[in-house]
Amino acid sequence: MVEPEHRASAAQRLGAQETLGISTLDPGHRPPTMPPGRHVSIKIRMLDDTEEVFDVSQRASGKVVFDLVCTHLNLIEGDYFSLEYQDHHKMMVWLDLLKPIVKQLRRPKHTVLRFVVKFFPPDHTQLLEELTRYLFALQIKHDLACGRLTCNDSSAALLVSHIIQSEIGDFEESQSRQHLLNNNYIPDQVALIDKIMEFHSKNVGQTPAESDYQLLEVARRLELYGVRLHPAKDREGSKLSLAVAHTGVLVFQGHTKINAFNWSKVRKLSFKRKRFLIKLRPDLNSSYQDTLEFLMGSRDCCKVFWKICVEYHAFFRLFEEPKPKPKPVLFTRGSSFRFSGRTQKQVIDYVKDSEFKKIPFESPHLSASSGNSQGMVNGQKPLELCGHSPDGRQPSPLTSPLLNDAGSVRTDDEDEVRRKVCGPERAPVKGLELERDCCQLLCGRHCGFKSSVSTTNEAAPDSLKSTIFSNFDPLYKFHSGFLREVEQRLALWEGRSNAHIKGDYQRIGDVMLKNLQGLKPLTAHLQKHSEALVELEKACRGSRRLEVLIRDFELQKVCYIPLNVFILRPLHRLLHYKQILERLCKHYPPTHVDFRDCRAALADVSEVVAQLHGSMIKMENFQKLLELKKDLIGIDSLVTPGRVSSSRDLHASLKEFIRLGCLSKLSGKGLQQRMFFLFNDVLLYTSRGMTATNQFKVHGQLPLHDMTIRESEDEWGVPHAFTLVGQRQSVVVAASSLSEMEKWMEDIKMAIDLAETSNGHTSDLLARSLTDNKSTTEDSCAEAESEDDLMASRTSLERQAPHRGNTTVHVCWHRNTSVSMVDFSVAVENQLSGNLLRKFKNSNGWQKLWVVFTNFSLFFYKTHQDDYPLASLPLLGYSVTIPTESENIHKDYVFKLHFKSHVYYFRSESEYTFERWMEVIRSATVSASSTRVLSRKEPHPY
């Protein structure tokens, strides 16, 4: 048996809080009210097979009994559970929460109700309490043992390995084998003992909470997870089984699912005597009849299953509990049954938004191993609310002490005194939010490069696949494990609003230190990313099929960034890790339990970032050139990977991108909008083509060698104007604002200085490319294209493939603004996601959305689980401010985004999240200083 001191207590794991046993169905701060009348004893069998007895009035409703059980267990998320019993027809039915006990149980003294899981959510991370997950794990254990949850041998062995890891701790061969011989978890277990032990040996270090998490992670993927089969027959008399799940009604043949009817397809469910009827919505593409009919064993069987379907639909599909139907005046028609209780959405919102005072939940396995099982729960004597164990047995280990020694409910004052004596003082809420924010940033889900490139696998040449996957497979495996550990830690942490009890799960430094030490050996793979960029570009130029596949991928609404950006994602993640650790080290005092691990992890990741810093800058530049190449026509040699033999030679020969954006160019016809592209040796100016591709056609180039620049607002009478004087021509341009003019002039002056220190000549390849397109220079008085030129270019371009119209270049064109390479670099470091409430300028209500900030844009999702966003909002050109009094936004933590007449209001949930959103959004709406363009030797301001 593992010694208890080797394993953290559940109280330390959770940092849990105290509660007064709040009813899950009727939120309040007192135990449920007992109606008058003669009392009767009700036996409840818990999920750990212990029995509790509750004294209740015969006139009490099922809800009163169920609330007593939840209060007894100190269970907040009780709405996932219910009580079932065997009726006089020997059928297992659910206790009706609205009806009195006396009308449901014929012989209450001789009836045993079982407390079990009723509603199985699709994702166990939606369960916010560790006690809830522990009870779900007990339900899985029970379903495995009785044969209800069937699966293949490997899955069964894996599930049992997590169960025994939770019960006896780390693997020790003789102990593990003896435990499996003494305890039966699945039918025919003896044949799988060796496989179970093999899996158990891989679970070393898992705490009971982590084992429960992994158990649910495996179980939820099984076809029969949370499924109860109800025997039926189809119209031909074939034996089937019906079941209901969060998705809808399921049809099984044996233990194999053969059909599923999602709620969205079901118009009506009903029963008529022994017939169960499913009426479907009209679907021209479906071969099913309008109404499906199944024959069940009896009318009672039909009604029981129909009730379950009604409850499942309401719990998972409705936002709030359905209102009761008005009673008919003369006679009734059909059943008046309805779902009673909170829906899943209400449960999640209630747990997240409420301030619970909950005592720590401690796993019974730990209690038993630490010698506290004899009359002790969480180190205290078990105290009863209104229940006791039959036959003098001890109460269930699940029971939490809710009362003080006097048998009365503890007051807030008593809790405060106990906290000051027994535990550390409450930490600042902002500090806790910072730590959890760091965890969530680590868990931020971005499109994975491996899954993205897999769509192009068949079209990719062997050299590309070898280069990419030999380097990315180890990194993919590393980050997958890292993410999984962080998600487990966050799932155990989630939902805690009090921080006065600090547990082992309210820290992140240990997880980061362990994984970042494992990252060091992978540095060699990270250094080869530039080779992957070069190989991908070569392959696209050599394979039309591959080029089309990548283009189609980038046109999907799931993907809003170029495919080759994914190659840089592992490098950018290093910057995120470093940024997280810097913030944590500033936040923690040196005495904090997490400080030493965070500081050590910061040193490790800083070392790796320093090694890759130069390579990262070059790769970002190359990627940006590849992206610009797709937006430009009239220049074919912006990127020339085919003319170099290695990535090092490539980066040495590449141009360095500095800034792009809109300026108005002065010509004989006045000011005309043009898109300018500044590199380290040349300034290109273009106009947007009137074609299906919306690409920008290069009109001319201004070599930077021997160029001078001067402000000329007074000279031309045009606001924010400046003149560029080159060797062969002069160009007068005007910016949209004073700040835009200053940014352009500063960057151009710096680029001129760089050009003077280089060879002093524009690239021959670029000059030849522009000459071939007959647009090397232009006469300033003949700027506009002739109609013939326009038609000629349109004819050749309309045959080209469609192109993304939401790139940074197009956003700058529409917003009449600019962006620099430093801005791009800052953007990849500043990413954020979370819930925000959004309100339009002239609307009244607020809409809750999951919002992701990346790539200068906000992406709006209905929930964090959605695959693609509802909409996006590029932020370039927008301003972020605080609403004024005249705008009548009488809410806290609100910021405003506005561009011309477009106004959006966003509301965050706390001061800390408000500051974080303002911080990252300003990084997209306020350009970084240009004094550090190209070098980036000093850290970006954060």
Side-chain angles (χ1 to χ4, degrees):
M1 184 69 69
V2 176
E3 293 298 323
E5 45 274 25
H6 292 173
R7 315 195 64 180
S9 73
Q12 293 174 329
R13 295 202 312 262
L14 288 175
Q17 308 119 30
E18 299 187 352
T19 186
L20 300 177
I22 300 172
S23 165
T24 58
L25 298 179
D26 185 16
H29 295 281
R30 295 291 173 186
T33 303
M34 189 65 62
R38 189 166 64 90
H39 279 220
V40 65
S41 296
I42 303 292
K43 288 183 182 179
I44 309 290
R45 181 169 297 155
M46 301 298 183
L47 279 164
D48 58 355
D49 288 328
T50 60
E51 287 188 3
E52 303 290 340
V53 176
F54 295 88
D55 293 323
V56 300
S57 168
Q58 283 187 335
R59 296 170 57 185
S61 66
K63 176 179 179 297
V64 171
V65 178
F66 182 67
D67 281 3
L68 285 175
V69 177
C70 292
T71 306
H72 187 59
L73 295 176
N74 199 27
L75 178 62
I76 302 301
E77 298 173 290
D79 304 77
Y80 291 101
F81 303 82
S82 192
L83 297 169
E84 67 174 358
Y85 65 98
Q86 192 176 59
D87 68 3
H88 60 284
H89 293 300
K90 303 299 181 182
M91 291 177 56
M92 295 302 295
V93 296
W94 296 107
L95 187 71
D96 193 322
L97 299 182
L98 299 181
K99 289 184 178 180
I101 292 291
V102 70
K103 291 188 177 181
Q104 300 186 70
L105 306 181
R106 285 191 171 183
R107 304 175 63 191
K109 291 183 179 180
H110 303 284
T111 302
V112 178
L113 281 73
R114 290 194 65 97
F115 178 79
V116 294
V117 177
K118 184 175 185 178
F119 299 113
F120 290 79
D123 188 352
H124 59 92
T125 59
Q126 294 172 337
L127 307 174
L128 303 182
E129 296 278 311
E130 184 180 322
L131 172 58
T132 313
R133 287 190 292 272
Y134 171 66
L135 294 174
F136 266 72
L138 288 180
Q139 183 68 65
I140 297 303
K141 177 182 174 182
H142 181 270
D143 290 349
L144 278 172
C146 71
R148 177 183 292 164
L149 181 59
T150 60
C151 54
N152 59 45
D153 289 349
S154 294
S155 296
L158 184 58
L159 290 166
V160 175
S161 74
H162 290 303
I163 294 174
I164 63 175
Q165 174 71 22
S166 176
E167 292 183 352
I168 68 174
D170 289 345
F171 176 77
E172 195 282 313
E173 186 172 1
S174 59
Q175 177 200 16
S176 180
R177 184 177 296 277
Q178 189 60 44
H179 186 80
L180 288 170
L181 292 174
N182 294 339
N183 299 272
N184 198 50
Y185 297 100
I186 52 176
D188 302 323
Q189 179 175 292
V190 175
L192 295 177
I193 284 182
D194 290 337
K195 186 179 286 289
I196 295 170
M197 292 174 61
E198 179 186 350
F199 284 129
H200 185 200
S201 65
K202 298 176 181 178
N203 297 337
V204 174
Q206 280 187 9
T207 64
E210 291 169 334
S211 298
D212 292 344
Y213 183 97
Q214 293 296 337
L215 177 70
L216 297 176
E217 180 66 24
V218 176
R220 75 181 180 94
R221 302 176 187 279
L222 301 178
E223 200 163 62
L224 289 170
Y225 170 69
V227 168
R228 292 192 176 203
L229 300 179
H230 297 254
K233 293 181 181 179
D234 61 12
R235 286 184 173 180
E236 285 73 35
S238 301
K239 290 184 178 181
L240 303 169
S241 294
L242 299 180
V244 62
H246 66 278
T247 55
V249 181
L250 313 177
V251 183
F252 285 81
Q253 195 163 53
H255 289 116
T256 303
K257 183 171 68 177
I258 61 173
N259 216 330
F261 302 101
N262 290 341
W263 295 125
S264 59
K265 298 178 181 178
V266 176
R267 182 179 176 186
K268 183 180 180 181
L269 295 175
S270 60
F271 67 96
K272 191 172 184 180
R273 296 186 178 88
K274 296 165 57 172
R275 291 181 294 147
F276 183 78
L277 307 172
I278 303 176
K279 193 168 187 177
L280 301 177
R281 298 185 185 278
D283 186 356
L284 298 177
N285 298 322
S286 175
S287 60
Y288 292 115
Q289 303 172 18
D290 178 59
T291 302
L292 299 175
E293 183 178 310
F294 298 91
L295 190 67
M296 304 191 79
S298 65
R299 179 187 181 278
D300 288 339
C301 293
C302 263
K303 187 172 183 178
V304 166
F305 183 63
W306 174 78
K307 282 185 175 182
I308 297 173
C309 291
V310 170
E311 292 180 311
Y312 254 82
H313 177 269
F315 185 75
F316 288 109
R317 296 279 290 186
L318 300 185
F319 287 160
E320 58 185 21
E321 178 183 354
K323 300 295 186 291
K325 296 179 181 178
K327 293 183 178 180
V329 178
L330 297 177
F331 57 88
T332 62
R333 184 186 180 197
S335 174
S336 62
F337 175 78
R338 67 178 179 88
F339 171 73
S340 62
R342 291 188 305 226
T343 65
Q344 186 190 33
K345 182 182 185 302
Q346 288 177 306
V347 176
I348 293 174
D349 291 344
Y350 177 59
V351 175
K352 285 185 175 180
D353 297 342
S354 299
E355 290 283 340
F356 290 122
K357 297 176 181 177
K358 182 174 175 58
I359 70 164
F361 160 67
E362 184 171 347
S363 168
H365 307 308
L366 293 177
S367 298
S369 64
S370 58
N372 289 338
S373 58
Q374 297 182 358
M376 301 289 285
V377 179
N378 294 337
Q380 303 180 39
K381 292 182 180 180
L383 297 164
E384 303 171 36
L385 182 63
C386 58
H388 57 275
S389 298
D391 306 324
R393 289 178 294 169
Q394 296 296 335
S396 166
L398 300 179
T399 308
S400 297
L402 307 177
L403 312 177
N404 61 18
D405 292 336
S408 60
V409 179
R410 283 199 299 255
T411 64
D412 291 342
D413 292 338
E414 289 173 325
D415 289 335
E416 183 65 26
V417 172
R418 185 189 55 77
R419 283 198 296 269
K420 289 182 179 178
V421 174
C422 302
E425 294 181 359
R426 179 184 173 94
V429 174
K430 182 175 180 179
L432 178 61
E433 287 184 317
L434 167 62
E435 294 163 321
R436 293 180 64 251
D437 174 39
C438 292
C439 283
Q440 288 174 330
L441 179 57
L442 282 170
C443 285
R445 296 171 189 247
H446 306 289
C447 295
F449 175 77
K450 183 174 181 178
S451 59
S452 305
V453 175
S454 64
T455 60
T456 65
N457 194 24
E458 294 182 3
D462 291 339
S463 59
L464 174 63
K465 288 187 285 189
S466 175
T467 301
I468 289 181
F469 292 114
S470 63
N471 289 312
F472 277 87
D473 277 346
L475 294 171
Y476 177 80
K477 184 177 180 181
F478 164 78
H479 284 287
S480 297
F482 192 180
L483 176 63
R484 184 168 56 251
E485 289 189 38
V486 174
E487 284 183 326
Q488 290 176 9
R489 179 64 56 88
L490 185 59
L492 297 172
W493 193 339
E494 191 64 58
R496 310 291 169 185
S497 54
N498 275 356
H500 63 273
I501 303 176
K502 295 183 179 180
D504 286 351
Y505 290 109
Q506 288 190 334
R507 55 188 297 200
I508 193 63
D510 56 331
V511 174
M512 297 195 70
L513 177 60
K514 170 191 168 185
N515 284 277
L516 291 176
Q517 287 176 340
L519 179 65
K520 284 185 176 181
L522 301 176
T523 306
H525 295 291
L526 291 166
Q527 290 172 332
K528 295 182 179 179
H529 280 37
S530 57
E531 296 180 10
L533 277 172
V534 174
E535 288 293 334
L536 183 61
E537 174 62 13
K538 286 182 178 178
C540 288
R541 291 191 301 109
S543 171
R544 173 64 178 167
R545 182 185 175 195
L546 179 61
E547 185 180 12
V548 170
L549 282 172
I550 292 176
R551 184 204 68 212
D552 291 344
F553 172 79
E554 293 179 347
L555 287 173
Q556 297 175 23
K557 59 183 176 180
V558 177
C559 179
Y560 287 86
I561 52 180
L563 180 65
N564 53 33
V565 169
F566 293 115
I567 294 180
L568 303 179
R569 279 298 191 235
L571 294 167
H572 292 157
R573 289 300 260 174
L574 296 179
L575 299 176
H576 298 162
Y577 301 153
K578 184 173 182 285
Q579 187 185 90
I580 289 166
L581 289 163
E582 286 172 344
R583 284 161 51 201
L584 285 172
C585 287
K586 288 178 182 177
H587 160 65
Y588 287 138
T591 56
H592 193 279
V593 66
D594 216 19
F595 178 76
R596 180 176 295 181
D597 286 343
C598 286
R599 187 172 61 178
L602 177 58
D604 287 338
V605 74
S606 297
E607 179 184 342
V608 177
V609 169
Q611 293 178 17
L612 298 169
H613 181 68
S615 176
M616 192 183 305
I617 294 174
K618 294 175 181 177
M619 280 190 278
E620 286 179 350
N621 179 66
F622 182 35
Q623 186 280 319
K624 188 53 59 182
L625 294 177
L626 293 173
E627 186 176 348
L628 294 180
K629 178 185 174 184
K630 295 180 180 180
D631 281 311
L632 292 171
I633 56 174
I635 175 171
D636 298 325
S637 53
L638 191 62
V639 181
T640 55
R643 298 176 181 270
V644 293
S645 58
S646 68
S647 60
R648 179 176 299 179
D649 295 336
L650 170 68
H651 292 308
S653 66
L654 283 177
K655 293 182 178 301
E656 294 182 58
F657 165 70
I658 299 176
R659 180 176 289 275
L660 66 85
C662 270
L663 293 170
S664 295
K665 182 174 179 292
L666 186 62
S667 71
K669 293 189 177 182
L671 291 172
Q672 294 183 321
Q673 184 181 2
R674 293 289 180 260
M675 180 65 74
F676 282 72
F677 298 85
L678 177 63
F679 300 94
N680 62 321
D681 60 350
V682 69
L683 178 66
L684 303 179
Y685 55 96
T686 69
S687 64
R688 190 183 185 192
M690 298 176 61
T691 66
T693 62
N694 289 326
Q695 290 170 290
F696 291 83
K697 181 180 180 182
V698 177
H699 284 299
Q701 63 163 327
L702 298 171
L704 298 182
H705 185 67
D706 292 334
M707 177 184 282
T708 59
I709 181 173
R710 69 174 187 271
E711 189 173 346
S712 51
E713 183 173 346
D714 296 335
E715 180 181 350
W716 295 97
V718 178
H720 320 307
F722 56 95
T723 301
L724 302 170
V725 181
Q727 293 176 330
R728 290 174 289 183
Q729 70 175 126
S730 297
V731 174
V732 179
V733 293
S736 59
S737 65
L738 177 61
S739 63
E740 278 291 302
M741 182 188 74
E742 291 173 345
K743 287 184 289 187
W744 273 108
M745 291 186 68
E746 183 181 2
D747 282 359
I748 293 173
K749 287 177 182 178
M750 185 197 61
I752 291 172
D753 293 339
L754 289 172
E756 295 296 333
T757 58
S758 63
N759 57 18
H761 298 286
T762 304
S763 167
D764 293 337
L765 290 172
L766 180 64
R768 184 162 60 251
S769 172
L770 291 169
T771 303
D772 292 342
N773 284 280
K774 299 181 180 180
S775 55
T776 316
T777 60
E778 298 181 34
D779 182 26
S780 61
C781 65
E783 169 70 23
E785 293 181 41
S786 69
E787 188 174 347
D788 291 340
D789 292 337
L790 201 58
M791 290 300 295
S793 63
R794 188 178 305 170
T795 303
S796 61
L797 289 172
E798 281 181 341
R799 292 191 296 269
Q800 296 187 16
H803 183 65
R804 290 189 309 130
N806 61 342
T807 63
T808 306
V809 177
H810 288 84
V811 173
C812 287
W813 174 264
H814 289 295
R815 304 273 170 84
N816 198 17
T817 188
S818 67
V819 62
S820 72
M821 190 64 201
V822 170
D823 295 325
F824 284 111
S825 299
V826 172
V828 300
E829 296 179 20
N830 290 322
Q831 300 194 14
L832 187 64
S833 61
N835 284 311
L836 283 177
L837 294 167
R838 183 183 67 180
K839 178 182 178 297
F840 297 109
K841 181 179 179 180
N842 297 319
S843 65
N844 295 322
W846 295 83
Q847 181 185 14
K848 189 174 184 179
L849 297 166
W850 180 262
V851 184
V852 176
F853 170 76
T854 185
N855 200 36
F856 299 109
S857 299
L858 293 177
F859 296 94
F860 305 109
Y861 299 79
K862 191 173 182 180
T863 71
H864 73 281
Q865 296 175 321
D866 292 353
D867 292 329
Y868 53 84
L870 302 170
S872 64
L873 177 64
L875 297 182
L876 293 173
Y878 267 77
S879 298
V880 57
T881 58
I882 307 298
T884 61
E885 286 292 333
S886 62
E887 294 174 88
N888 295 321
I889 304 295
H890 304 297
K891 299 289 184 181
D892 295 328
Y893 316 128
V894 176
F895 59 90
K896 180 174 81 170
L897 285 171
H898 52 99
F899 172 74
K900 296 183 178 179
S901 62
H902 302 281
V903 178
Y904 304 92
Y905 299 99
F906 294 92
R907 179 155 57 100
S908 57
E909 58 190 9
S910 68
E911 180 183 3
Y912 174 76
T913 54
F914 169 79
E915 291 174 353
R916 286 284 292 124
W917 279 108
M918 289 287 285
E919 190 175 29
V920 298
I921 288 175
R922 279 178 177 145
S923 71
T925 57
V926 180
S927 294
S929 171
S930 303
T931 57
R932 293 176 292 105
V933 177
L934 297 181
S935 65
R936 290 176 58 199
K937 292 181 180 178
E938 53 189 293
H940 300 305
Y942 191 75

